[in-house]
Amino acid sequence: MTTEFLTITGTPADDEIIGRAAEVIKSGGLVAIPTETVYGLAGSALLEDSARKIYAAKGRPADNPLIVHLAKPEDAELYGETTPLYYRLAERFMPGPLTIILKKKDNIPDTVTAGGATAAFRCPSHPIAHRLIEVSGHPIAAPSANSSGFPSPTNALHVKADMDGKIDMILDGGECEIGVESTVVKLNDDGCTILRPGAVTEDMLADVCGKVTISPAVIEPTLVDEKNPESPGMKYKHYSPTAEVILIDAPLDVFADHVNGHGEGKYGVFTPADEAHLYTGGILLITGETDNASQLSHSLFTLLRNADELGLDTVYVRCPPKSGEYLAVYNRIVRAAGCRITKLRDNRENT
Ligand code: TXA
Ligand code: MG
């Protein structure tokens, strides 16, 4: 299959491109699209065959369900069983990077939800994603547009690297603003549970929900119940470049000493620009400024892909905090590191 690569230019010409992409969706094809979080691999959520093609193009395990993307929060009425809490959350966070799990209706094929009785709903705020859903008139199933297991794509070239020849079309709408996928929550009688952290944080949800629980597997991936995970995506190896990611929980000076003492072969190190002077070797992968969680989120997947483009054997990453805006980054990087964290507390332990 030849994959068409089309650039969105912000001119009236875009209407024609969106129109063509909508035809592809309606006829059961696949289009990679920008969203505010990461690029998505879009197909109609009403057509079983489209879902099958999505799993095949990604090499995604058949038991990992897809998110259904809607133009408006109230469209969830058509495909799922909404609740008052859904609407309270939707009012605050939709459109935007929040995905809510609801009981599904029969018009969403089982292939989309991997056979499950629930479906995940999200309204993307990105104008291209939004317009494609509106113009096609279909709800859109869209996982991240990476090959299964690899870092999610945050620009159209990342998508091309993984999906060229496997899908009908790629729409290049530039860099994704947020850089990590949406927050996924399930609703409970007294609040909600975060199944995957994202840019909508625990505190932001607590403002609307009252009680917010974080699923233990978000922080400690080894706690996933393999037979019955709260969210199937939890149990898979994820976000991993070919380079080995070495995640170290340590004070900054201890981390830098460790990298300087142990880095060998072609290695890289994640560092904010203003800490770069601490490293005596290796290739520096600049994450933004110190204490800037948004910049770190924005650059995370690009830097993991850069590690492979540069042919690095290993990448050293200092463990981010496990809370607030950083929780989303922590959750991705710990999986990219194969769920291993090395704890170093003072310099004497390093020798
Ligand atoms: O930001 C995002 O959410 C991006 C963009 C493209 O919208 N999409 C995305 O989709 O990250 P994906 O398929 O890569 O991740 C969806 C996650 C998976 O971990 C999956 O297991 C979980 O959501 N999920 C989907 N449906 C679910 C359900 N019914 N119950 C529990 N978890 C569900
Ligand atoms: Mg994904």
Short mmCIF file of all heavy atoms in Angstrom, two decimals, residues 61-89:
data_model
loop_
_atom_site.label_atom_id
_atom_site.label_comp_id
_atom_site.label_asym_id
_atom_site.label_seq_id
_atom_site.Cartn_x
_atom_site.Cartn_y
_atom_site.Cartn_z
N PRO A 61 -1.69 -6.10 20.36
CA PRO A 61 -2.39 -7.28 20.88
C PRO A 61 -3.91 -7.06 20.81
O PRO A 61 -4.40 -5.96 21.09
CB PRO A 61 -1.94 -7.37 22.34
CG PRO A 61 -0.69 -6.57 22.41
CD PRO A 61 -0.79 -5.51 21.35
N ALA A 62 -4.64 -8.10 20.44
CA ALA A 62 -6.08 -7.97 20.18
C ALA A 62 -6.88 -7.70 21.46
O ALA A 62 -8.06 -7.38 21.38
CB ALA A 62 -6.58 -9.24 19.51
N ASP A 63 -6.26 -7.86 22.62
CA ASP A 63 -7.04 -7.63 23.87
C ASP A 63 -6.84 -6.22 24.43
O ASP A 63 -7.21 -5.96 25.57
CB ASP A 63 -6.69 -8.69 24.92
CG ASP A 63 -5.25 -8.57 25.38
OD1 ASP A 63 -4.48 -7.78 24.81
OD2 ASP A 63 -4.89 -9.29 26.35
N ASN A 64 -6.25 -5.32 23.65
CA ASN A 64 -6.01 -3.96 24.16
C ASN A 64 -6.94 -2.97 23.43
O ASN A 64 -6.69 -2.61 22.29
CB ASN A 64 -4.54 -3.59 23.95
CG ASN A 64 -4.15 -2.35 24.73
OD1 ASN A 64 -4.97 -1.81 25.49
ND2 ASN A 64 -2.94 -1.90 24.55
N PRO A 65 -8.02 -2.52 24.10
CA PRO A 65 -9.07 -1.75 23.41
C PRO A 65 -8.64 -0.36 22.96
O PRO A 65 -7.65 0.19 23.44
CB PRO A 65 -10.16 -1.64 24.48
CG PRO A 65 -9.46 -1.81 25.79
CD PRO A 65 -8.31 -2.72 25.54
N LEU A 66 -9.43 0.18 22.01
CA LEU A 66 -9.12 1.48 21.40
C LEU A 66 -9.97 2.58 22.04
O LEU A 66 -11.08 2.32 22.51
CB LEU A 66 -9.44 1.41 19.90
CG LEU A 66 -8.82 0.22 19.16
CD1 LEU A 66 -9.32 0.19 17.71
CD2 LEU A 66 -7.30 0.30 19.20
N ILE A 67 -9.48 3.81 21.99
CA ILE A 67 -10.27 4.96 22.46
C ILE A 67 -11.17 5.45 21.33
O ILE A 67 -10.74 5.53 20.17
CB ILE A 67 -9.33 6.10 22.92
CG1 ILE A 67 -8.53 5.67 24.16
CG2 ILE A 67 -10.12 7.38 23.21
CD1 ILE A 67 -7.49 6.67 24.63
N VAL A 68 -12.42 5.77 21.67
CA VAL A 68 -13.38 6.31 20.69
C VAL A 68 -13.36 7.83 20.82
O VAL A 68 -13.65 8.38 21.88
CB VAL A 68 -14.79 5.76 20.96
CG1 VAL A 68 -15.80 6.38 19.99
CG2 VAL A 68 -14.80 4.24 20.86
N HIS A 69 -13.01 8.51 19.71
CA HIS A 69 -12.89 9.97 19.71
C HIS A 69 -14.16 10.59 19.15
O HIS A 69 -14.65 10.18 18.09
CB HIS A 69 -11.68 10.40 18.88
CG HIS A 69 -10.37 9.94 19.47
ND1 HIS A 69 -10.01 8.61 19.52
CD2 HIS A 69 -9.34 10.63 20.03
CE1 HIS A 69 -8.81 8.51 20.09
NE2 HIS A 69 -8.38 9.71 20.40
N LEU A 70 -14.67 11.59 19.87
CA LEU A 70 -15.95 12.22 19.53
C LEU A 70 -15.74 13.71 19.27
O LEU A 70 -14.80 14.31 19.79
CB LEU A 70 -16.92 12.08 20.71
CG LEU A 70 -17.15 10.65 21.22
CD1 LEU A 70 -17.92 10.69 22.54
CD2 LEU A 70 -17.90 9.82 20.18
N ALA A 71 -16.67 14.29 18.49
CA ALA A 71 -16.60 15.74 18.24
C ALA A 71 -17.08 16.51 19.47
O ALA A 71 -16.52 17.55 19.81
CB ALA A 71 -17.43 16.10 17.02
N LYS A 72 -18.12 15.99 20.15
CA LYS A 72 -18.69 16.70 21.31
C LYS A 72 -18.93 15.71 22.44
O LYS A 72 -19.34 14.56 22.16
CB LYS A 72 -20.05 17.31 20.95
CG LYS A 72 -20.06 18.25 19.76
CD LYS A 72 -21.42 18.95 19.61
CE LYS A 72 -22.59 18.05 19.24
NZ LYS A 72 -22.55 17.37 17.96
N PRO A 73 -18.77 16.13 23.69
CA PRO A 73 -18.98 15.20 24.81
C PRO A 73 -20.35 14.53 24.78
O PRO A 73 -20.47 13.34 25.08
CB PRO A 73 -18.86 16.09 26.06
CG PRO A 73 -18.17 17.32 25.61
CD PRO A 73 -18.36 17.47 24.15
N GLU A 74 -21.39 15.28 24.38
CA GLU A 74 -22.74 14.70 24.43
C GLU A 74 -22.93 13.61 23.38
O GLU A 74 -23.88 12.82 23.47
CB GLU A 74 -23.83 15.77 24.33
CG GLU A 74 -23.74 16.71 23.15
CD GLU A 74 -22.85 17.94 23.42
OE1 GLU A 74 -21.88 17.85 24.20
OE2 GLU A 74 -23.13 19.00 22.82
N ASP A 75 -22.03 13.51 22.40
CA ASP A 75 -22.12 12.41 21.43
C ASP A 75 -21.91 11.05 22.11
O ASP A 75 -22.26 10.01 21.54
CB ASP A 75 -21.11 12.58 20.30
CG ASP A 75 -21.46 13.76 19.40
OD1 ASP A 75 -22.60 14.26 19.51
OD2 ASP A 75 -20.60 14.20 18.62
N ALA A 76 -21.32 11.08 23.31
CA ALA A 76 -21.14 9.81 24.04
C ALA A 76 -22.49 9.14 24.32
O ALA A 76 -22.55 7.92 24.47
CB ALA A 76 -20.39 10.06 25.35
N GLU A 77 -23.57 9.94 24.37
CA GLU A 77 -24.92 9.37 24.54
C GLU A 77 -25.23 8.31 23.49
O GLU A 77 -25.94 7.35 23.75
CB GLU A 77 -26.00 10.45 24.34
CG GLU A 77 -25.96 11.60 25.31
CD GLU A 77 -26.46 11.20 26.67
OE1 GLU A 77 -27.10 10.14 26.79
OE2 GLU A 77 -26.16 11.95 27.62
N LEU A 78 -24.72 8.55 22.27
CA LEU A 78 -25.05 7.66 21.15
C LEU A 78 -24.38 6.30 21.29
O LEU A 78 -24.86 5.31 20.78
CB LEU A 78 -24.60 8.30 19.82
CG LEU A 78 -25.21 9.65 19.47
CD1 LEU A 78 -24.48 10.27 18.28
CD2 LEU A 78 -26.68 9.46 19.14
N TYR A 79 -23.21 6.30 21.96
CA TYR A 79 -22.38 5.09 21.93
C TYR A 79 -22.10 4.49 23.31
O TYR A 79 -21.50 3.41 23.41
CB TYR A 79 -21.04 5.40 21.25
CG TYR A 79 -21.21 6.14 19.95
CD1 TYR A 79 -20.84 7.49 19.83
CD2 TYR A 79 -21.79 5.52 18.85
CE1 TYR A 79 -21.03 8.18 18.64
CE2 TYR A 79 -21.98 6.20 17.66
CZ TYR A 79 -21.60 7.53 17.56
OH TYR A 79 -21.79 8.20 16.39
N GLY A 80 -22.48 5.22 24.36
CA GLY A 80 -22.18 4.73 25.71
C GLY A 80 -23.21 5.20 26.71
O GLY A 80 -24.13 5.96 26.36
N GLU A 81 -23.10 4.70 27.95
CA GLU A 81 -24.05 5.12 28.99
C GLU A 81 -23.39 6.18 29.86
O GLU A 81 -22.51 5.88 30.66
CB GLU A 81 -24.47 3.89 29.80
CG GLU A 81 -25.35 3.00 28.93
CD GLU A 81 -25.74 1.70 29.61
OE1 GLU A 81 -25.68 1.62 30.85
OE2 GLU A 81 -26.09 0.76 28.86
N THR A 82 -23.83 7.42 29.67
CA THR A 82 -23.22 8.53 30.39
C THR A 82 -23.78 8.62 31.81
O THR A 82 -24.82 8.02 32.10
CB THR A 82 -23.49 9.86 29.67
OG1 THR A 82 -24.90 10.04 29.60
CG2 THR A 82 -22.89 9.88 28.28
N THR A 83 -23.08 9.35 32.66
CA THR A 83 -23.53 9.54 34.05
C THR A 83 -23.36 11.03 34.37
O THR A 83 -22.66 11.75 33.64
CB THR A 83 -22.65 8.73 35.03
OG1 THR A 83 -21.33 9.30 34.99
CG2 THR A 83 -22.57 7.25 34.66
N PRO A 84 -23.96 11.50 35.48
CA PRO A 84 -23.76 12.91 35.85
C PRO A 84 -22.28 13.26 36.03
O PRO A 84 -21.83 14.34 35.63
CB PRO A 84 -24.52 13.04 37.17
CG PRO A 84 -25.59 11.97 37.08
CD PRO A 84 -24.96 10.84 36.33
N LEU A 85 -21.49 12.34 36.59
CA LEU A 85 -20.06 12.63 36.79
C LEU A 85 -19.34 12.77 35.44
O LEU A 85 -18.44 13.61 35.29
CB LEU A 85 -19.41 11.53 37.65
CG LEU A 85 -17.92 11.73 37.97
CD1 LEU A 85 -17.64 13.09 38.59
CD2 LEU A 85 -17.41 10.61 38.88
N TYR A 86 -19.74 11.97 34.47
CA TYR A 86 -19.16 12.12 33.12
C TYR A 86 -19.35 13.56 32.65
O TYR A 86 -18.41 14.20 32.18
CB TYR A 86 -19.83 11.14 32.14
CG TYR A 86 -19.47 11.43 30.69
CD1 TYR A 86 -18.27 10.99 30.15
CD2 TYR A 86 -20.34 12.17 29.87
CE1 TYR A 86 -17.93 11.29 28.83
CE2 TYR A 86 -20.01 12.46 28.54
CZ TYR A 86 -18.80 12.02 28.04
OH TYR A 86 -18.46 12.31 26.73
N TYR A 87 -20.56 14.07 32.82
CA TYR A 87 -20.82 15.44 32.33
C TYR A 87 -20.08 16.50 33.13
O TYR A 87 -19.64 17.50 32.58
CB TYR A 87 -22.33 15.71 32.28
CG TYR A 87 -22.92 15.17 31.00
CD1 TYR A 87 -23.72 14.04 31.00
CD2 TYR A 87 -22.61 15.74 29.77
CE1 TYR A 87 -24.22 13.52 29.81
CE2 TYR A 87 -23.09 15.23 28.58
CZ TYR A 87 -23.89 14.12 28.61
OH TYR A 87 -24.36 13.61 27.43
N ARG A 88 -19.93 16.26 34.45
CA ARG A 88 -19.18 17.26 35.24
C ARG A 88 -17.72 17.30 34.76
O ARG A 88 -17.14 18.37 34.60
CB ARG A 88 -19.23 16.90 36.73
CG ARG A 88 -20.60 17.09 37.36
CD ARG A 88 -20.50 17.59 38.81
NE ARG A 88 -19.67 16.76 39.67
CZ ARG A 88 -20.08 15.63 40.24
NH1 ARG A 88 -21.30 15.17 40.04
NH2 ARG A 88 -19.28 14.96 41.03
N LEU A 89 -17.16 16.14 34.51
CA LEU A 89 -15.77 16.10 34.03
C LEU A 89 -15.67 16.66 32.61
O LEU A 89 -14.74 17.39 32.28
CB LEU A 89 -15.24 14.66 34.07
CG LEU A 89 -14.95 14.12 35.46
CD1 LEU A 89 -14.77 12.60 35.43
CD2 LEU A 89 -13.70 14.77 36.05
#
